[in-house]
């Protein structure tokens, strides 16, 4: 999960690029215009982010797709 207004977003983007280049199984989605811990707020992008993360974790543990949207 990349968040454009987070102080560490540059590091997260570099990590995502490195993972993609090296063939590591990394999926990410960038949430533009949002801030650190936005997913704890009662708003639509937060609900979507939690659902995306939940889907990715479920697939990682149980091995099946659960409807998340991969990174852009």
């Amino acid at each position: 999960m990349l968040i454009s207004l987070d102080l560490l977003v540059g590091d997260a983007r570099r990590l995502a690029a490195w993972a993609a280049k090296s063939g590591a199984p990394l999926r990410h989605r960038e949430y533009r215009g949002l801030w650190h811990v936005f997913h704890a707020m009662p708003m639509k992008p937060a609900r979507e982010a939690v659902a995306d993360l939940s889907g990715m974790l479920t697939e990682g543990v149980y091995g099946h797709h659960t409807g998340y949207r991969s990174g852009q």
Side-chain angles (χ1 to χ4, degrees):
M1 182 180 300
L2 303 176
I3 305 163
S4 68
L5 298 180
D6 194 298
L7 291 174
L8 298 176
V9 71
D11 292 337
R13 286 178 180 145
R14 283 189 291 281
L15 177 62
W18 173 82
K21 187 177 183 181
S22 66
L26 175 76
R27 292 185 204 120
H28 72 278
R29 179 176 178 194
E30 184 163 342
Y31 294 87
R32 298 185 187 276
L34 296 169
W35 54 94
H36 188 75
V37 301
F38 80 94
H39 55 279
M41 301 295 169
M43 56 189 202
K44 184 177 179 182
R47 290 187 296 276
E48 291 173 354
V50 171
D52 286 348
L53 183 57
S54 174
M56 285 188 270
L57 290 172
T58 300
E59 182 176 344
V61 172
Y62 298 107
H64 59 82
H65 188 278
T66 59
Y68 66 87
R69 295 178 311 276
S70 63
Q72 301 189 20

